């Protein structure tokens, strides 16, 4: 699944570690999500969306709909 997580993180001047700490996950989890190697659980996706004040659909892009 594609996502805009890296862009949003950069706009806030956060490192992967900063974002990981805010979400109570590992930096490796953030790295894997950004690279599209791992899809977050629904609860984690909601936490990410809430943190950035965005809808889940604005952060995560379903490639099957493209």
């Amino acid at each position: 699944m594609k996502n805009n997580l890296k862009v949003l993180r950069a706009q806030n001047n956060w490192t992967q570690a900063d974002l990981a700490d805010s979400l109570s996950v590992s930096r490796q989890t953030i790295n894997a999500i950004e690279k599209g190697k791992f899809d977050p659980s629904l609860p984690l996706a909601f936490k990410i969306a809430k943190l950035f004040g965005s809808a889940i659909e604005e952060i995560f892009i379903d490639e099957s709909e493209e």
Side-chain angles (χ1 to χ4, degrees):
M1 178 178 299
K2 290 183 181 179
N3 64 75
N4 299 318
L5 195 55
K6 186 174 183 176
V7 172
L8 291 169
R9 181 175 58 77
Q11 288 174 346
N12 286 281
N13 295 317
W14 291 341
T15 64
Q16 287 181 341
D18 293 334
L19 181 55
D21 288 344
S22 297
L23 297 169
S24 300
V25 298
S26 69
R27 186 201 57 77
Q28 290 84 353
T29 297
I30 299 302
N31 185 49
I33 293 170
E34 287 185 356
K35 290 185 174 193
K37 294 182 179 182
F38 175 74
D39 293 335
S41 65
L42 193 54
L44 180 55
F46 272 105
K47 282 177 76 173
I48 293 168
K50 185 176 180 179
L51 182 65
F52 288 109
S54 300
I56 290 175
E57 298 86 353
E58 293 173 355
I59 300 172
F60 299 98
I61 300 101
D62 183 1
E63 293 174 295
S64 66
E65 294 182 2
E66 290 184 345

